[in-house]
Amino acid sequence: MRPDDIKDDPRFIEGGGDALQTVGLLRSGLKLNHLRMILAIEEHKQVSAAADVLNISQPAASRMLTDMETILKAQLCERAARGVTLTAAGRALARRARAILLELREVDRELSALKSGTGGSVFLGSVTAPAISLAVPAIKQVSAAYPGIEVNVRVETSNVLARELLDAKQDFIIARVPDDLNPRLFDVTEIGIEKACLIVRKGHPLTEKPVVQLTDLPHYDWVFQSAGTLLRRRIEELFIAAGVPLPSTVVNTSSILLTTAIVHGSNAIAPVARDMATFIADVGAQAGEIRILDTDFEIDIKPYSLISVKGRALPPSAKLLYDLIWQRSQTISPD
């Protein structure tokens, strides 16, 4: 198959005829593991990494790729400087593979709900602040009204969540579209601005200061999210704009539990979402020994949104939770 023939092949036509495309692809000899392989190659851009994801050897992965190209009579990958990239045919197959695997997952969910007599399940991903202020109250509301619904929540960075959404691991997310992803892939509804603050342990030297300035901060250890995340970049921008040296001793982790543990047991400082910080500071035991610093600067982060994949309808249970989160976001004061 030549690249120009893709647009005329019913197995690859974008946007319509899902059933026809699914039957055509599977009748051609492709198997589900072939579809998983093309998606793994698309994500990791290396056959060896795709092999690891599927838990097979690299030679087996290479043979699987060759089988796919033989079945479809089209080259799916080409070598790049580091690894491989998908051809036009490869990208078309990956797009269709994602849709097929999503449909199969939805069938599995519907059958499980029918067998158990429950209301199905929802997969939600969220960045930290709206997970506390929006997702938790909405989940309580859904659980009270529809006790058969099972809600699965993952709290992570936008970079991770957006890719999981595209891979159909989440129904929808409360996050931001990463700069390196095409925004046209998503339906985005902005619902709030995340505010952050700095936390330290009870008795930390900085808690004795009525107001903490940026110049008070570089001499302490810090706990950050990984480099390039929005909150970390915002803190670094504040230091740079004020001409204050960046902290030199840093621990990187995305775990709020580990962050809290490090802060509690040392003089380290950590920036976290204010909703999360307030929750931690209010609970009992060791977590209640955390304090929020009063600073002479604000830490506002890029607005977050309700995000779903364009053209992918939400299952009824997910749509219910989505609507409740949106409604709650409209009642929360922006400050």
Side-chain angles (χ1 to χ4, degrees), residues 199-202 204 222-223 257-272 289-291:
I199 60 171
V200 295
R201 64 171 176 84
K202 179 182 178 181
H204 191 286
W222 280 68
V223 186
L257 180 61
L258 183 57
T259 297
T260 304
I262 294 172
V263 168
H264 179 266
S266 69
N267 278 339
I269 303 169
V272 299
E289 302 297 301
I290 298 299
R291 298 291 180 265

Side-chain angles (χ1 to χ4, degrees), residues 31-294:
K31 300 174 182 174
L32 293 181
N33 270 349
H34 288 139
L35 305 185
R36 296 186 181 102
M37 170 61 71
I38 198 69
L39 290 178
I41 293 174
E42 180 186 47
E43 178 177 359
H44 298 284
K45 297 179 173 56
Q46 289 186 333
V47 175
S48 59
D52 290 340
V53 171
L54 270 65
N55 198 27
I56 60 176
S57 67
Q58 182 170 348
S62 297
R63 287 195 298 273
M64 190 180 293
L65 177 59
T66 300
D67 288 345
M68 285 191 285
E69 292 182 329
T70 300
I71 291 168
L72 297 174
K73 299 180 177 60
Q75 182 181 356
L76 301 177
C77 296
E78 52 192 11
R79 293 190 178 278
R82 296 181 179 179
V84 296
T85 59
L86 296 184
T87 62
R91 292 192 299 274
L93 176 61
R95 182 175 59 248
R96 190 50 49 201
R98 184 175 292 107
I100 292 170
L101 293 174
L102 171 64
E103 287 300 318
L104 289 175
R105 193 193 81 173
E106 291 304 313
V107 169
D108 181 63
R109 287 168 61 177
E110 289 182 19
L111 290 177
S112 296
L114 288 172
K115 290 176 183 177
S116 63
T118 63
S121 57
V122 182
F123 291 82
L124 164 66
S126 178
V127 295
T128 303
I132 298 295
S133 62
L134 296 176
V136 169
I139 290 169
K140 287 177 61 179
Q141 193 173 349
V142 166
S143 298
Y146 303 92
I149 292 179
E150 179 181 274
V151 182
N152 305 271
V153 184
R154 176 164 163 80
V155 178
E156 253 295 355
T157 64
S158 294
N159 284 340
V160 171
L161 294 176
R163 285 164 172 78
E164 290 187 346
L165 180 64
L166 289 175
D167 289 340
K169 295 176 182 177
Q170 308 294 344
D171 290 317
F172 67 95
I173 61 176
I174 314 173
R176 306 163 184 90
V177 176
D179 293 337
D180 61 338
L181 291 182
N182 183 356
R184 292 185 177 87
L185 297 173
F186 305 97
D187 284 323
V188 180
T189 302
E190 186 177 308
I191 57 173
I193 295 176
E194 183 172 0
K195 292 183 177 291
C197 62
L198 304 180
I199 60 171
V200 295
R201 64 171 176 84
K202 179 182 178 181
H204 191 286
L206 288 177
T207 59
E208 298 177 4
K209 297 179 69 71
V211 178
V212 174
Q213 300 176 327
L214 279 168
T215 52
D216 299 321
L217 302 174
H219 316 293
Y220 294 95
D221 295 351
W222 280 68
V223 186
F224 275 125
Q225 290 183 330
S226 58
T229 53
L230 282 173
L231 178 53
R232 178 166 180 167
R233 281 186 359 220
R234 181 59 186 142
I235 295 294
E236 291 171 342
E237 288 168 357
L238 289 170
F239 275 93
I240 292 169
V244 176
L246 292 171
S248 58
T249 305
V250 172
V251 175
N252 298 315
T253 178
S254 62
S255 168
I256 189 64
L257 180 61
L258 183 57
T259 297
T260 304
I262 294 172
V263 168
H264 179 266
S266 69
N267 278 339
I269 303 169
V272 299
R274 181 168 286 277
D275 288 335
M276 176 60 74
T278 301
F279 175 77
I280 294 171
D282 285 346
V283 300
Q286 290 187 349
E289 302 297 301
I290 298 299
R291 298 291 180 265
I292 299 173
L293 291 179
D294 290 323

